[in-house]
Amino acid sequence: MKIAIVCYPTFGGSGVVATELGLELARRGHEIHFITYSQPVRLALLNANVHYHEVNVPEYPLFHFQPYELALSSKLVDMVKLHKIELLHVHYAIPHAYAGYMAKQMLADEGINIPMITTLHGTDITLVGNHPFYKPAVTFSINKSDFVTSVSQSLKNDTLKLFNIKNEILVIPNFIELDKNIIDPNISCRRSVMANKEERIITHISNFRKVKRIPDVIKIFNKIQKQIPAKLMMVGDGPEKEKAEYLCEELGIQDRVIFFGNSNEIDKILSYTDLFLLPSETESFGLAALEAMAWSVPVISSNSGGLAEVNFDGISGYLSDVGKTKEMAENAIKILKDDTVLEEFKENALAVAEKFDIKNILPQYEALYEKAIYKFK
């Protein structure tokens, strides 16, 4: 199959998932065309089955904001015609589904009919898409998609609640690639760089936005470290980072917390991590939690959004109501205080993660692609 993938090329979850999906499809022999405004961050190497087409937006004084949707839809039309692409898979409802629909209409005028699959990832629905300025366009784009998928049942439920959707929404969860989780024994990063032998390593990874409840991460860790020797690894960057640093100073634990910023060594950090904290206000899926579990790291998280579909309470970790930092800390201590208990949770976390291995999820996308292409023949 010849498939065009439209996504945001940044560190965000939707872009990472779309890129990894495309790369795995390419390994299976499909011809993949990434179409976006810059090369996706996970698209390190190109091969014979992977192509990247940059969307350039010319600057004109007439436009206060440059019309990316117009440039994207035009680029899609050109690439479909040039490479005989059979299917569009757009990730994130806006502006990608909207631009994809416009491209379909332009192509139809030339006698080219091509299916479009839209995958909903989270904030495109619950935050941006639900804004009154965008809601009509998002509703229209979803309903005009030929097929729609959601990364969790929770996000599907939110979409149906917030929008007047007539299309069926198929749940295909996010995934991880377990085969990639091998660390070179000669790597320079060693556990001793992060913590002493007797200390537990606790990690949080996010974009440090308010929805991640960064102060809660610090408060949970503060309660843990009072009973168990531990260090906290804070990976990522965003508007809440500076406040978190000040909070650590106020609590007198700044020497026990390491702020990495955005890092390309997440796998190395997770490979030494004992516990992952994700007390978010909401998560459409909880990809960061799944990536931790894939490294045999149990998770302490809120039970909001799609997290309960990823983190199994009492098995791969524990779930608590949003803001229940005392309970989260107590559950963390239950896991960390005993080596045998910790090892059991680590094994369980990996076992749960295996259910989301890309080898189990990719066939669901391939089956949908085949169905979509067959429908338009």
Side-chain angles (χ1 to χ4, degrees):
M1 290 181 277
K2 295 185 177 183
I3 303 161
I5 292 180
V6 182
C7 63
Y8 284 113
T10 57
F11 279 98
S14 67
V16 169
V17 167
T19 305
E20 297 292 356
L21 173 63
L23 292 174
E24 186 64 22
L25 287 165
R27 293 184 196 107
R28 293 196 178 207
H30 303 291
E31 185 178 308
I32 305 300
H33 296 262
F34 289 96
I35 302 175
T36 184
Y37 57 82
S38 66
Q39 184 169 313
V41 293
R42 292 285 181 98
L43 194 61
L45 296 173
L46 304 183
N47 62 45
N49 287 334
V50 179
H51 309 269
Y52 162 61
H53 310 289
E54 184 174 354
V55 180
N56 292 305
V57 185
E59 291 190 13
Y60 293 108
L62 175 66
F63 298 120
H64 184 64
F65 297 105
Q66 304 309 314
Y68 177 66
E69 295 88 342
L70 181 61
L72 175 58
S73 59
S74 296
K75 187 73 173 184
L76 286 170
V77 169
D78 291 341
M79 294 302 100
V80 167
K81 291 161 65 176
L82 180 62
H83 298 285
K84 296 181 170 52
I85 289 168
E86 301 171 272
L87 178 142
L88 303 179
H89 188 176
V90 301
H91 293 257
Y92 226 71
I94 52 173
H96 300 150
Y98 192 81
Y101 173 74
M102 294 306 300
K104 276 173 55 72
Q105 297 312 299
M106 287 187 273
L107 288 163
D109 278 352
E110 299 185 37
I112 301 172
N113 293 305
I114 182 171
M116 180 177 75
I117 296 170
T118 296
T119 292
L120 310 176
H121 283 270
T123 52
D124 54 339
I125 297 302
T126 58
L127 184 62
V128 183
N130 194 41
H131 193 286
F133 290 172
Y134 300 116
K135 194 166 186 175
V138 173
T139 305
F140 175 84
S141 300
I142 294 173
N143 283 329
K144 288 297 182 180
S145 300
D146 299 297
F147 294 90
V148 182
T149 72
S150 166
V151 298
S152 69
Q153 182 64 43
S154 171
L155 181 58
K156 174 181 176 177
N157 295 343
D158 286 343
T159 304
L160 295 176
K161 180 174 68 176
L162 295 171
F163 299 87
N164 181 23
I165 301 301
K166 300 170 186 175
N167 250 333
E168 179 186 358
I169 300 177
L170 175 66
V171 176
I172 301 181
N174 282 335
F175 52 81
I176 32 82
E177 294 183 76
L178 286 172
D179 289 347
K180 285 180 141 187
N181 287 10
I182 300 173
I183 294 292
D184 185 340
N186 297 315
I187 57 172
S188 58
C189 179
R190 292 281 184 261
R191 189 188 189 282
S192 58
V193 175
M194 297 185 284
N196 296 325
K197 186 177 180 180
E198 73 279 3
E199 292 175 320
R200 301 297 196 193
I201 293 179
I202 301 168
T203 298
H204 171 80
I205 302 171
S206 76
N207 54 17
F208 283 61
R209 290 186 292 119
K210 279 191 175 182
V211 70
K212 302 299 181 180
R213 296 184 71 92
I214 302 300
D216 283 7
V217 175
I218 305 298
K219 291 172 186 175
I220 295 165
F221 171 73
N222 186 40
K223 290 180 174 69
I224 295 170
Q225 63 89 31
K226 286 179 179 178
Q227 296 194 38
I228 296 174
K231 286 283 183 67
L232 175 62
M233 310 296 121
M234 297 290 282
V235 184
D237 204 351
E240 295 292 296
K241 183 183 175 185
E242 189 174 347
K243 295 177 187 175
E245 291 172 330
Y246 284 134
L247 180 56
C248 289
E249 290 180 12
E250 288 176 17
L251 295 172
I253 57 172
Q254 64 270 25
D255 61 332
R256 312 201 65 74
V257 182
I258 301 175
F259 287 88
F260 286 88
N262 288 325
S263 174
N264 291 321
E265 298 190 326
I266 288 174
D267 287 344
K268 295 177 186 178
I269 295 167
L270 287 175
S271 71
Y272 291 122
T273 294
D274 296 302
L275 188 72
F276 191 81
L277 299 181
L278 195 64
S280 307
E281 191 79 31
T282 186
E283 292 279 349
S284 60
F285 178 80
L287 186 59
L290 179 58
E291 289 179 336
M293 289 159 56
W295 282 103
S296 301
V297 181
V299 175
I300 296 294
S301 73
S302 59
N303 55 14
S304 139
L307 280 166
E309 299 173 46
V310 180
N311 183 21
F312 295 179
D313 191 44
I315 299 173
S316 60
Y318 285 105
L319 298 161
S320 298
D321 290 342
V322 174
K324 298 286 187 180
T325 57
K326 183 175 182 291
E327 180 180 295
M328 290 180 185
E330 289 170 350
N331 286 334
I333 292 165
K334 278 187 208 174
I335 295 173
L336 294 171
K337 69 181 179 182
D338 184 274
D339 288 343
T340 303
V341 173
L342 176 58
E343 190 57 35
E344 182 181 348
F345 271 92
K346 281 178 172 283
E347 291 174 3
N348 290 345
L350 179 58
V352 173
E354 286 171 348
K355 301 176 188 294
F356 298 91
D357 186 75
I358 193 168
K359 292 175 182 175
N360 297 324
I361 306 302
L362 190 71
Q364 298 179 50
Y365 276 116
E366 285 183 306
L368 183 59
Y369 293 161
E370 289 169 2
K371 180 179 178 180
I373 291 172
Y374 179 78
K375 179 182 177 181
F376 275 72
K377 279 186 177 178

